[in-house]
Amino acid sequence: MEKLKPKLFSVMKTYSRGQLVKDIVSGIIVAIIALPLSIALALASGVTPEKGIYTAIVAGFVISFLGGSRVQIAGPTAAFATIVAGIVAKNGMEGLAVATIMAGIILIIMGLCKFGSLIKFIPYTITTGFTAGIAVTILIGQIKDFLGLSIITEEPLVETMDKLAAVAAFIGTINWWALLVGGICLVILIVWPYLPGFLSKIPGSLVAVLASSAMVALMKLPVNTIGDLYTISGSLPPFQIPSMDFAMVRTLLPDAFTIAILAGIESLLSCVVADGMIGSRHRSNMELVAQGTGNIASALFGGIPATGAIARTAANIKNGGRTPIAGMVHSVVLLLVLVVLMPYAALIPMPAIAAILFMVAYNMSGWREVVDLCKTAPKSDIIVLLLTFCLTVVFDLVVAIEVGMVLAAVLFMKRMSDVTEVEGWKYAEGAQTGGDLMAVPKNTLVYEISGPMFFGAADKLLKIGVKEGTNCLILRMRSVNAIDSTAMRNFEKLLSLCQKKNVTLIFSHVAEQPMSIMHKAGFDKKVGLQNFCAHIDDAMERARAIQGE
């Protein structure tokens, strides 16, 4: 059984001074990478820049301290941007804090109930679909700042399609200087990782931010900066408990579940990727508890939802981080940056932020996986993928996940129903022999049942026909590994039909789970324990004995 014990407490037993140095260096590098990303993701989420830093500091530290992974780096991620922006627009920062706290509680309960392994039951097509959809919504949301458009509306634009319509309506207000700055930043972000030697190790996003800030400030270009649109605070994260009532809780509960599911999925996916890179194994349930605690702490200190960030976790590993100390150092460094350098964030141009988010959207889109699935997956999986993608873009993530899960479940049940068969043996002409030409007693019918007998397939039992003159009906169940209450009810109906026609019902090779269900229902006693046979040969002998052959 997996232990509910933070990885930090396990790795400290063998911790060395050399590893401490590596963790500190890696933590500093990851903090440099996280700084512009945290600011950009905060702005994409509809909150002020420092909220992203608060999240990376508070949630990042707590999740590293309590987490079930050796190398997980947590903080704000693009997956939350759309849903957070929607919550803030409708319910304000207090509503977001309440939703995040509820999501944290849900995550903790999931971890304590050992639900870490249940995340795998969310289909890959759904996670791929909504991840690609989130990428598109982020991209559409940043077109305005990348082009420097002057969009004037009566109410804030929240829905993705409204943002796209506004871009089309106000495209004539394009700021060519903004486009130039954004274009240069985009080129830097694309080209920088391919530079030789030491230069490639410097985060491209940091280079883009510094270069664009210098360009706009020195050349006095008419381009909006963060300071033009937001009031930036360099103070420490303030502790505050949001006020809430039952009506607010009820309104925000669907959003809280969405945040919790997203945080659980993304953090555990990040842990799996990290495990493959360092040859370790994470503790999924402890990770969920840590994610929940980290999100509650983030909300109480003015942050936004957080989860494990795959890119930052990979950067941590590549730079030598091997224990949670690296993640904790990353948070401490960001705290120092917040206090000392945060006022200078006002100089960052909005097109630079948009360019960074364009790259985030591209990297998270997984377009190669989408194309591969569309080429190779069954049609039903492609339908789920495309529908989840479209619903994420056109409506929101809550609708996409709900509809995607329901549709995936229905299609799965249809698939299972298709592989479940109830077939009668065919008899060779002139003799009652069937299957492998096995001799069948006179006045006996044999039906082979294969596949799981659940509510989606249980009606096939009712198609079993009992002909006149039949004395025994044998049901061979060697390929039935599970039944449910609907199947059990239909077995009851079949038994009642057999009793009315004076036909003895005999079972062959009933597996452990079906037998357990039958025993709980008292069905085995109604049929008669002597009519449950271990093998088809025994069932044939039982039929012969009943008919006195």
Side-chain angles (χ1 to χ4, degrees):
M1 184 65 69
E2 183 184 287
K3 293 185 292 185
L4 274 174
K5 179 181 178 182
K7 274 286 188 178
L8 176 65
F9 300 165
S10 298
V11 300
M12 292 308 292
K13 296 176 182 177
T14 57
Y15 202 58
S16 64
R17 183 181 298 178
Q19 186 56 54
L20 174 62
V21 173
K22 291 179 181 178
D23 286 339
I24 291 174
V25 171
S26 180
I28 293 171
I29 293 172
V30 173
I32 294 171
I33 295 171
L35 177 63
L37 283 176
S38 297
I39 293 173
L41 292 168
L43 296 178
S45 301
V47 299
T48 52
E50 70 274 8
K51 303 292 186 185
I53 305 294
Y54 291 168
T55 307
I57 292 170
V58 178
F61 188 92
V62 171
I63 292 171
S64 289
F65 183 79
L66 295 176
S69 169
R70 296 169 62 98
V71 291
Q72 179 89 285
I73 301 294
T77 67
F80 291 122
T82 305
I83 190 169
V84 169
I87 295 172
V88 171
K90 294 175 185 175
N91 302 282
M93 280 302 298
E94 197 159 50
L96 175 63
V98 172
T100 306
I101 290 172
M102 288 195 295
I105 295 170
I106 293 169
L107 282 164
I108 291 174
I109 293 172
M110 289 171 64
L112 294 177
C113 294
K114 309 293 177 68
F115 284 177
S117 61
L118 295 183
I119 298 294
K120 66 185 179 184
F121 291 108
I122 297 178
Y124 178 61
T125 48
I126 290 180
T127 57
T128 304
F130 74 63
T131 301
I134 291 169
V136 172
T137 60
I138 290 172
L139 187 146
I140 292 173
Q142 296 307 309
I143 294 175
K144 168 184 173 292
D145 289 329
F146 191 79
L147 298 179
L149 301 180
S150 299
I151 295 178
I152 302 173
T153 57
E154 294 180 1
E155 296 181 0
L157 298 174
V158 177
E159 302 297 332
T160 302
M161 301 314 292
D162 292 341
K163 292 178 182 178
L164 191 60
V167 167
F170 290 90
I171 192 67
T173 64
I174 186 171
N175 181 339
W176 296 102
W177 288 111
L179 178 59
L180 175 65
V181 172
I184 291 173
C185 288
L186 200 56
V187 170
I188 291 173
L189 291 166
I190 295 171
V191 174
W192 199 265
Y194 298 100
L195 294 181
F198 174 74
L199 289 176
S200 63
K201 295 183 179 180
I202 301 173
S205 56
L206 182 64
V207 176
V209 163
L210 294 175
S212 61
S213 299
M215 186 190 312
V216 171
L218 296 176
M219 299 176 65
K220 301 187 184 306
L221 299 179
V223 175
N224 280 336
T225 63
I226 292 178
D228 294 332
L229 303 180
Y230 302 93
T231 301
I232 300 176
S233 171
S235 60
L236 295 174
F239 180 81
Q240 51 192 11
I241 301 175
S243 61
M244 63 180 78
D245 52 39
F246 179 74
M248 178 180 283
V249 170
R250 184 175 61 182
T251 300
L252 293 171
L253 193 57
D255 292 325
F257 269 105
T258 303
I259 292 171
I261 291 171
L262 273 178
I265 292 172
E266 190 160 1
S267 64
L268 295 183
L269 281 176
S270 178
C271 286
V272 170
V273 172
D275 286 349
M277 295 177 73
I278 64 173
S280 179
R281 288 191 65 182
H282 70 281
R283 295 168 183 161
S284 58
N285 296 311
M286 190 65 237
E287 183 64 25
L288 290 179
V289 172
Q291 292 290 334
T293 308
N295 273 280
I296 292 173
S298 177
L300 293 176
F301 284 93
I304 60 178
T307 186
I310 296 176
R312 275 159 272 174
T313 299
N316 179 36
I317 295 169
K318 290 177 182 177
N319 287 284
R322 288 297 181 273
T323 76
I325 296 295
M328 295 159 67
V329 169
H330 135 270
S331 296
V332 172
V333 172
L334 284 175
L335 179 62
L336 297 175
V337 170
L338 173 72
V339 175
V340 178
L341 300 176
M342 197 60 188
Y344 295 103
L347 300 175
I348 301 175
M350 293 305 294
I353 296 294
I356 291 171
L357 289 170
F358 278 173
M359 289 303 297
V360 169
Y362 174 81
N363 290 329
M364 77 173 292
S365 67
W367 64 269
R368 293 179 180 84
E369 288 82 359
V370 173
V371 171
D372 185 60
L373 280 171
C374 289
K375 288 180 179 179
T376 61
K379 290 181 180 178
S380 58
D381 285 348
I382 296 173
I383 292 171
V384 172
L385 170 69
L386 296 179
L387 184 63
T388 306
F389 170 80
C390 293
L391 289 175
T392 302
V393 175
V394 177
F395 295 100
D396 59 47
L397 203 54
V398 177
V399 174
I401 291 178
E402 289 174 349
V403 175
M405 284 298 293
V406 170
L407 182 59
V410 170
L411 291 172
F412 173 77
M413 289 185 288
K414 173 67 168 59
R415 245 181 243 153
M416 290 298 97
S417 176
D418 289 342
V419 300
T420 300
E421 297 293 343
V422 179
E423 293 183 333
W425 278 13
K426 292 180 171 51
Y427 300 97
E429 190 175 340
Q432 266 191 305
T433 55
D436 295 327
L437 298 180
M438 183 180 292
V440 178
K442 292 180 181 179
N443 303 320
T444 299
L445 293 176
V446 181
Y447 276 82
E448 185 102 26
I449 305 176
S450 58
M453 294 302 301
F454 67 108
F455 61 89
D459 63 309
K460 294 183 179 182
L461 287 173
L462 302 179
K463 296 178 182 179
I464 295 176
V466 181
K467 301 176 183 177
E468 289 294 329
T470 300
N471 292 330
C472 295
L473 173 63
I474 298 175
L475 299 184
R476 194 182 192 190
M477 295 179 59
R478 60 177 178 171
S479 300
V480 180
N481 53 8
I483 65 173
D484 67 359
S485 56
T486 305
M488 189 66 256
R489 185 169 179 271
N490 287 350
F491 276 125
E492 296 268 11
K493 290 182 179 179
L494 181 61
L495 175 62
S496 177
L497 174 65
C498 289
Q499 289 173 339
K500 286 179 181 178
K501 295 190 175 184
N502 294 317
V503 175
T504 302
L505 186 59
I506 302 172
F507 287 88
S508 163
H509 204 303
V510 181
E512 182 178 352
Q513 192 273 353
M515 196 68 214
S516 174
I517 298 296
M518 290 178 178
H519 177 70
K520 287 180 181 179
F523 182 73
D524 54 347
K525 294 178 182 177
K526 294 177 185 178
V527 174
L529 293 176
Q530 68 276 17
N531 292 324
F532 283 88
C533 303
H535 193 271
I536 187 63
D537 292 335
D538 301 328
M540 297 292 189
E541 288 301 321
R542 175 63 184 158
R544 290 190 183 96
I546 290 171
Q547 298 182 93
E549 289 187 20

